[in-house]
Amino acid sequence: MSTRIATDSSPWDIGWVSWSMDYADPSDYLSGMFDPALQLGLGSFDEPFWIAAIRHARTLTGARRLRAYGRLDDALARDAAPALAWSVLAACVGCET
């Protein structure tokens, strides 16, 4: 399945991918998954408007960067829907089980 998702010429409608962020910056998720120049083999999202917005957000710093990625997250989910988060792993370091 991973090969089909990563290959533009393979027909598919929906696929499952496990993804976890390496570090706490929104570019790790949004840019890494949806900018074709950085894409990690997760389909062929190729929408010029959204890609330009993602690339612009990567150029920002501080609170402006976080706000831009927050707006992008909302807008992508509402208007483009390139992915759906259906589960989140929550880990508690040092917690008793």
Side-chain angles (χ1 to χ4, degrees):
M1 181 177 78
S2 296
T3 301
R4 290 185 75 182
I5 289 173
T7 305
D8 290 340
S9 62
S10 294
W12 58 278
D13 293 322
I14 192 169
W16 176 81
V17 175
S18 177
W19 176 264
S20 65
M21 295 174 62
D22 302 54
Y23 54 94
D25 185 298
S27 70
D28 190 42
Y29 182 79
L30 290 178
S31 296
M33 287 184 66
F34 303 121
D35 183 342
L38 305 172
Q39 211 165 30
L40 305 173
L42 304 177
S44 56
F45 185 70
D46 188 16
E47 298 288 334
F49 173 82
W50 297 110
I51 293 166
I54 289 167
R55 289 177 179 169
H56 174 70
R58 287 186 73 212
T59 67
L60 303 175
T61 59
R64 289 182 61 215
R65 179 183 179 93
L66 297 177
R67 281 193 300 273
Y69 273 112
R71 286 190 301 270
L72 268 171
D73 182 41
D74 288 342
L76 281 166
R78 182 184 60 243
D79 301 328
L84 169 70
W86 60 272
S87 176
V88 176
L89 174 64
C92 181
V93 178
C95 295
E96 295 181 24
T97 57

